[in-house]
Amino acid sequence: MRLILLGAPGAGKGTQGALLAKKHGLTKIATGDILRDAVRRDTPLGQQAKTYMNAGELVPDELILAMVRDVLSDQTEGFVLDGFPRTLEQAEGLRAILTEMEIDLDAVVVLHVPDDVLVKRISGRRSCPQCKHVYNVYFEPPAEEGQCDKCGAELVRRADDDPATVENRLQVYARQTQPLIEFYEASGTEVLYVDGTGDVDEVQDEIEEQLRSV
Ligand code: AMP
């Protein structure tokens, strides 16, 4: 199965993508994770991407497309794309890459969550730098404030999850990424609309239910 997860920051793409990947044996390709790793390792890509990311802006399409082309090149089995494509140029670029690889997308899953919930989800998000577990100080706090339940490491907030940047990220989503829904509808790809406000299991069940019809 080859899927795209579309949704605003905080809609749950990462969480739902990980569950889908595990259940269906897919590779989760999250461009945000790849970029954060590049920033941490201070690679040339990381150095170029960092300023955009910290401001909540999108990293230029050429950099993203080169990176994705590379990752997809050894991807003959299924995958779930999380956080890519984010612009029409990226969607066109992805179409060209998939055509070259002679493979098709099965569906685009759109996770919808209202803005006020998104803001709370993102501003409350804390993650463990060691085991990567993600918490939320409002909805899923760790037993001990600031500390990972699983491995004891000190929890961190992503640099772009601060309230000032969140607002910009939501605007960038509305302006640059939301139009992709229409792009995929027009291109005949199956587009599945999922209410992303429920708890993790409810949302996952709804995605599975809709995928059965694909
Ligand atoms: P995410 O973890 O998906 O929320 O991504 C975090 C940040 O990485 C975004 O705010 C962008 O700055 C950058 N980023 C991730 N994926 C993309 C993409 N497909 N195109 C451009 N920038 C991206």
Side-chain angles (χ1 to χ4, degrees), residues 9 13 31-33 35-36 49 52-54 56-61 64 82-87 90 125 158 160 169:
K13 301 186 298 296
T31 44
D33 288 347
L35 291 167
R36 275 185 291 280
Y52 298 100
M53 293 174 76
N54 286 347
E57 295 292 337
L58 296 184
V59 174
D61 291 329
I64 298 290
D82 157 10
F84 172 88
R86 258 173 153 109
T87 64
Q90 291 180 17
R125 182 156 67 183
R158 271 170 49 173
D160 57 349
R169 288 167 64 203

Coordinates of all heavy atoms in Angstrom, one line a residue, residues 9 13 31-33 35-36 49 52-54 56-61 64 82-87 90 125 158 160 169, ligand 1:
P9 N -0.1 20.8 10.9 CA 0.7 20.4 11.9 C -0.1 20.1 13.2 O -1.0 20.9 13.5 CB 1.6 21.6 12.2 CG 1.4 22.6 11.1 CD 0.1 22.2 10.4
K13 N -0.5 13.2 12.0 CA 0.1 12.4 10.9 C 1.2 11.5 11.4 O 1.3 10.3 11.0 CB 0.7 13.4 9.8 CG -0.3 14.4 9.2 CD 0.3 15.2 8.1 CE 1.5 16.1 8.5 NZ 1.1 17.1 9.5
T31 N 9.3 13.6 6.2 CA 10.3 14.6 5.8 C 10.8 15.4 7.0 O 12.0 15.8 7.1 CB 9.8 15.4 4.6 OG1 8.5 15.9 4.9 CG2 9.9 14.7 3.3
G32 N 9.8 15.8 7.9 CA 10.2 16.6 9.1 C 11.2 15.8 9.9 O 12.2 16.4 10.4
D33 N 11.1 14.5 10.1 CA 12.0 13.7 10.9 C 13.4 13.7 10.2 O 14.4 13.8 10.9 CB 11.5 12.3 11.1 CG 10.3 12.2 12.0 OD1 10.0 13.2 12.7 OD2 9.7 11.1 12.1
L35 N 14.6 15.8 8.2 CA 15.2 17.2 8.3 C 15.8 17.4 9.7 O 16.9 17.9 9.8 CB 14.2 18.2 7.9 CG 13.8 18.3 6.4 CD1 12.6 19.2 6.2 CD2 15.0 18.8 5.5
R36 N 15.0 17.1 10.7 CA 15.5 17.3 12.1 C 16.7 16.5 12.3 O 17.6 17.0 13.0 CB 14.4 16.9 13.1 CG 13.4 18.1 13.4 CD 12.4 17.7 14.4 NE 11.4 16.7 14.0 CZ 10.4 16.9 13.3 NH1 10.1 18.1 12.9 NH2 9.6 15.9 12.9
A49 N 18.4 23.8 5.9 CA 17.0 23.7 6.3 C 16.7 24.4 7.6 O 15.6 24.9 7.8 CB 16.7 22.2 6.4
Y52 N 14.7 27.9 7.9 CA 13.3 27.8 7.5 C 12.5 27.1 8.6 O 11.4 27.5 8.9 CB 13.2 27.0 6.2 CG 13.9 27.6 5.0 CD1 15.2 27.2 4.6 CD2 13.3 28.7 4.3 CE1 15.8 27.7 3.5 CE2 14.0 29.2 3.2 CZ 15.2 28.7 2.8 OH 15.8 29.3 1.8
M53 N 13.0 26.0 9.1 CA 12.3 25.2 10.0 C 12.0 26.0 11.3 O 10.9 26.0 11.8 CB 13.0 23.9 10.3 CG 13.1 23.0 9.2 SD 14.2 21.6 9.5 CE 13.1 20.6 10.5
N54 N 13.0 26.7 11.8 CA 12.8 27.4 13.1 C 11.8 28.5 12.9 O 11.2 28.9 13.9 CB 14.1 27.9 13.6 CG 14.9 26.8 14.2 OD1 14.4 25.7 14.4 ND2 16.2 27.0 14.4
G56 N 9.2 28.3 11.0 CA 7.9 27.7 10.6 C 7.6 27.8 9.1 O 6.5 27.6 8.7
E57 N 8.6 28.1 8.3 CA 8.5 28.2 6.9 C 8.8 26.9 6.2 O 9.5 26.0 6.9 CB 9.4 29.3 6.3 CG 9.1 30.7 6.8 CD 7.8 31.2 6.2 OE1 7.3 30.7 5.2 OE2 7.2 32.1 6.9
L58 N 8.4 26.7 5.0 CA 8.8 25.5 4.3 C 10.2 25.5 3.7 O 10.6 26.6 3.3 CB 7.8 25.2 3.1 CG 6.3 25.0 3.6 CD1 5.5 24.6 2.3 CD2 6.2 23.9 4.6
V59 N 10.9 24.4 3.8 CA 12.2 24.3 3.2 C 12.0 24.3 1.7 O 11.0 23.7 1.2 CB 12.8 23.0 3.7 CG1 14.2 22.7 3.0 CG2 13.0 23.0 5.2
P60 N 12.9 24.9 0.9 CA 12.7 25.0 -0.6 C 12.4 23.6 -1.2 O 13.0 22.6 -0.9 CB 14.0 25.6 -1.1 CG 14.5 26.4 0.1 CD 14.1 25.6 1.3
D61 N 11.5 23.7 -2.2 CA 11.1 22.4 -2.9 C 12.2 21.6 -3.5 O 12.2 20.4 -3.4 CB 10.1 22.8 -4.0 CG 8.8 23.3 -3.5 OD1 8.4 22.9 -2.4 OD2 8.2 24.1 -4.2
I64 N 13.8 19.5 -0.9 CA 12.9 18.4 -0.4 C 12.8 17.3 -1.4 O 12.9 16.1 -1.1 CB 11.5 19.0 -0.1 CG1 11.6 20.0 1.0 CG2 10.5 17.9 0.2 CD1 11.9 19.5 2.4
D82 N 4.5 11.1 5.3 CA 4.0 12.0 6.4 C 4.7 13.4 6.3 O 5.9 13.4 6.4 CB 4.3 11.3 7.7 CG 4.4 12.3 8.9 OD1 4.1 13.4 8.8 OD2 4.8 11.8 10.0
G83 N 4.0 14.4 5.9 CA 4.6 15.7 5.8 C 5.1 16.0 4.5 O 5.8 17.0 4.3
F84 N 4.9 15.2 3.5 CA 5.3 15.4 2.1 C 4.2 14.7 1.3 O 3.8 13.6 1.6 CB 6.6 14.8 1.9 CG 7.0 14.8 0.4 CD1 7.6 15.8 -0.2 CD2 6.6 13.7 -0.4 CE1 8.0 15.9 -1.5 CE2 6.9 13.7 -1.8 CZ 7.6 14.8 -2.3
P85 N 3.8 15.3 0.2 CA 4.2 16.7 -0.3 C 3.4 17.8 0.5 O 2.4 17.5 1.1 CB 3.7 16.6 -1.8 CG 2.6 15.7 -1.8 CD 2.9 14.6 -0.8
R86 N 4.0 19.0 0.4 CA 3.4 20.1 1.1 C 3.1 21.3 0.2 O 2.6 22.3 0.6 CB 4.4 20.6 2.2 CG 4.0 20.1 3.6 CD 5.2 20.5 4.5 NE 4.9 20.8 5.8 CZ 5.2 19.9 6.8 NH1 5.8 18.8 6.6 NH2 4.9 20.3 8.1
T87 N 3.6 21.2 -1.1 CA 3.3 22.3 -2.0 C 2.9 21.6 -3.3 O 3.1 20.4 -3.5 CB 4.5 23.1 -2.3 OG1 5.5 22.3 -3.0 CG2 5.1 23.8 -1.1
Q90 N 5.8 20.2 -5.1 CA 6.3 18.9 -4.5 C 5.3 17.7 -5.0 O 5.8 16.6 -5.3 CB 6.3 18.9 -3.0 CG 7.4 19.8 -2.4 CD 7.4 19.8 -0.9 OE1 6.8 19.0 -0.2 NE2 8.1 20.8 -0.3
R125 N 3.0 19.8 23.1 CA 3.8 18.6 22.7 C 5.2 18.7 23.3 O 5.9 19.7 23.2 CB 3.8 18.6 21.2 CG 4.6 17.5 20.5 CD 4.1 17.2 19.1 NE 4.5 18.3 18.2 CZ 4.1 18.3 16.9 NH1 3.3 17.3 16.4 NH2 4.4 19.2 16.1
R158 N 10.1 20.8 20.6 CA 10.7 21.1 19.2 C 10.8 22.6 19.1 O 9.9 23.4 19.5 CB 9.7 20.6 18.1 CG 10.0 19.2 17.8 CD 9.0 18.6 16.9 NE 8.6 19.5 15.7 CZ 7.8 19.1 14.8 NH1 7.3 17.9 14.8 NH2 7.5 19.9 13.8
D160 N 10.3 24.5 16.7 CA 9.2 25.2 15.9 C 7.8 24.9 16.6 O 6.8 25.3 16.0 CB 9.2 24.7 14.5 CG 9.1 23.2 14.3 OD1 9.2 22.5 15.3 OD2 8.8 22.7 13.2
R169 N 2.9 28.3 11.1 CA 2.9 27.0 10.5 C 1.5 26.7 10.0 O 1.3 26.0 9.0 CB 3.4 25.9 11.4 CG 4.9 26.0 11.6 CD 5.4 25.2 12.7 NE 5.2 23.8 12.6 CZ 5.2 22.9 13.6 NH1 5.3 23.3 14.8 NH2 5.0 21.6 13.4
Ligands
AMP1 P1 6.9 18.4 10.4 O1 7.6 17.6 11.4 O2 6.3 17.6 9.3 O3 5.9 19.3 11.0 O4 8.0 19.4 9.7 C1 8.7 20.3 10.4 C2 9.3 21.4 9.5 O5 10.2 20.8 8.6 C3 8.3 22.2 8.7 O6 7.7 23.2 9.4 C4 9.2 22.6 7.5 O7 10.0 23.7 7.9 C5 10.1 21.4 7.3 N1 9.5 20.5 6.4 C6 9.1 19.2 6.6 N2 8.6 18.6 5.5 C7 8.6 19.5 4.6 C8 8.3 19.5 3.2 N3 7.7 18.5 2.6 N4 8.5 20.7 2.5 C9 9.0 21.7 3.1 N5 9.4 21.8 4.3 C10 9.2 20.7 5.1

